[in-house]
Amino acid sequence: MNESSDRDDAHLNRSLDDVVALLEREIERLEESLETFRLSNHPNRAEIIRWHVREIDRRHDALERLQAMLLARQAGDGERPVH
């Protein structure tokens, strides 16, 4: 593998790590917001809670897919021939 390809792979892994971190923070933010609405008397409370739960689930799914991609890439890196 050439040096440019190694740099591209490292950049992709950093980018994926950044996206994972952003998703984790977004999940935390949504969970905090969800808890706030659970404790509130907002007139649309039930609808807002359902929306938060759906969004949290979507982000958890995306996070799991990204983590699987990272694991697959890391496993694939170990199988590459050394030049």
Side-chain angles (χ1 to χ4, degrees), residues 7 13 16 24 29 37 39 45 47 49 52-53 55:
R7 277 196 311 266
N13 283 338
L16 288 174
E24 288 171 340
R29 185 193 67 76
F37 279 104
L39 298 173
R45 182 176 166 265
E47 181 181 332
I49 288 171
H52 277 80
V53 170
E55 294 303 308

Side-chain angles (χ1 to χ4, degrees), residues 10-11 15-16 27 31 39 42 47 54 58 71 83:
H11 179 72
S15 295
L16 288 174
I27 289 167
E31 287 173 342
L39 298 173
H42 192 282
E47 181 181 332
R54 279 192 309 271
R58 287 182 51 218
L71 288 174
H83 293 272

Side-chain angles (χ1 to χ4, degrees), residues 28-80:
E28 280 181 33
R29 185 193 67 76
L30 285 167
E31 287 173 342
E32 289 172 6
S33 179
L34 172 62
E35 189 58 30
T36 299
F37 279 104
R38 280 188 173 146
L39 298 173
S40 78
N41 292 322
H42 192 282
N44 296 330
R45 182 176 166 265
E47 181 181 332
I48 293 169
I49 288 171
R50 283 191 297 273
W51 180 87
H52 277 80
V53 170
R54 279 192 309 271
E55 294 303 308
I56 290 168
D57 286 346
R58 287 182 51 218
R59 281 157 181 85
H60 271 292
D61 291 345
L63 181 59
E64 288 172 3
R65 286 191 303 271
L66 280 172
Q67 289 171 332
M69 283 175 42
L70 283 170
L71 288 174
R73 285 187 70 77
Q74 290 169 356
D77 287 346
E79 297 172 6
R80 290 184 181 162

